[in-house]
Amino acid sequence: MEARQPLPDLWAGIEGFDEEQADGALVGLLWDVPLAEAIERVVIPFLEDLGARWEEGSLSVAHEHFASDLLRRRLTALVHRHELLPVQGRRRPRAVLACPPGERHDLVLLCFALLLGEHGWRTTFLGADTPIDSVARTARRADADAVVIASTRTSRLTANREALAELAGDHPVYVAGRGADVEVARVLGARLLPADLVAALEHVVPRHRDGTPRSVVQR
Ligand code: B12
């Protein structure tokens, strides 16, 4: 019998709102693959295709919500893969990740949280539509080494200019997503992350002199 193809199965499952088929295919694509590879080769292209299909009208809003929810649950489940990894020293660096008020696109940010987790960071993922004063309180309590804010619109960052600039005075704040650019980062006193998640990781996780990432996880 011919092996089933996960990607066509994933799309067929989504088109038919067949959770079992879509989820089974997604597990097949993500299972036993290094996390960065799964994110770069499966999750991001999948989200891009989802966007393209939605824009051209071949998928409905309901399909998009169904697919986003399925992906979120699978990505969240991946967090547990890294929780038990041994860590050098006693303190894991900590990151708080959130989208500003009104911003609901948090799936790429969730991927970034997973990548940080793989490098031994402890992450507090606040996700979509989070008031900046809540982000600030959480960052203070966690003694955060990084606060990552993602937005598809610049206006959602500039609308919170004062609160974000204040936060950037207390913790390193990184801005990312379609709404983040050099100018908004400058105005907020934040650091701009590149669109590529693996490249962005290198901005947050410092490197050894030989160029390898300073991960706290023992391999
Ligand atoms: C899935 C999706 C949703 C889901 C979100 C699920 C979730 N929780 O994330 C839901 C259903 C909630 C949603 C809602 C809406 N959405 Co929507 N959505 C999308 C869709 C299809 C995919 C988004 C996505 O993840 N893209 C995939 C990533 C790979 O692309 P990207 O966002 O450009 O990100 C790249 C970089 O910016 C970077 N990046 C992004 N975030 C981060 C974070 C970090 C830390 C780093 C390092 C990098 C990084 O990495 C990516 C790869 O390079 C896009 C279409 C598209 N083409 O993207 C629309 C899209 C983003 N949505 C759009 C809109 C308009 C909406 C709605 C207003 C629609 C409506 N009328 O209800 C609402 C509400 C939005 C809100 N208030 O925030 C517009 C945004 C236009 C704009 N700039 O404002 C888009 C572009 C569709 C379009 N062409 O009109 N959406």
Side-chain angles (χ1 to χ4, degrees):
M1 201 174 71
E2 207 178 301
R4 288 169 70 89
Q5 294 297 312
L7 204 55
D9 267 10
L10 175 58
W11 284 116
I14 288 167
E15 282 158 14
F17 293 108
D18 182 335
E19 184 163 345
E20 207 177 316
Q21 182 181 23
D23 193 44
L26 196 54
V27 171
L29 286 162
L30 299 177
W31 192 251
D32 229 11
V33 178
L35 185 66
E37 197 180 315
I39 288 173
E40 282 202 311
R41 299 223 181 137
V42 178
V43 179
I44 299 292
F46 172 69
L47 280 168
E48 285 168 351
D49 284 358
L50 187 67
R53 283 178 169 218
W54 181 49
E55 280 162 35
E56 76 186 22
S58 66
L59 284 181
S60 67
V61 172
H63 285 113
E64 189 209 320
H65 285 210
F66 177 74
S68 299
D69 182 58
L70 192 80
L71 187 62
R72 171 185 304 284
R73 279 184 279 136
R74 270 296 143 216
L75 288 174
T76 310
L78 287 179
V79 173
H80 303 295
R81 281 217 310 224
H82 309 293
E83 274 180 358
L84 300 175
L85 290 173
V87 164
Q88 294 165 359
R90 284 176 55 203
R91 185 182 181 276
R92 287 171 182 251
R94 303 192 69 139
V96 174
L97 303 100
C99 297
E103 179 60 63
R104 289 178 51 208
H105 301 91
D106 65 350
L107 282 173
V108 183
L109 187 66
L110 178 59
C111 291
F112 194 63
L114 291 176
L115 288 173
L116 282 173
E118 192 188 40
H119 282 79
W121 283 55
R122 201 175 278 282
T123 58
T124 305
F125 184 75
L126 303 179
D129 193 17
T130 311
I132 303 304
D133 61 344
S134 300
V135 180
R137 269 200 301 278
T138 311
R140 208 174 307 126
R141 189 174 300 171
D143 190 18
D145 302 282
V147 177
V148 186
I149 307 284
S151 183
T152 58
R153 288 201 188 183
T154 308
S155 59
R156 296 194 181 115
L157 296 170
T158 50
N160 295 282
R161 179 182 170 155
E162 281 181 17
L164 283 169
E166 199 180 320
L167 181 61
D170 296 335
H171 306 268
V173 170
Y174 298 85
V175 287
R178 287 170 183 237
D181 57 29
V182 178
E183 179 54 18
V184 81
R186 189 190 62 75
V187 166
L188 302 175
R191 305 164 194 199
L192 178 67
L193 289 180
D196 181 273
L197 267 71
V198 173
L201 192 66
E202 292 173 6
H203 287 240
V204 181
V205 179
R207 294 189 150 257
H208 289 292
R209 276 194 196 154
D210 67 1
T212 53
R214 202 185 290 269
S215 167
V216 292
V217 173
Q218 288 164 359
R219 306 241 173 230

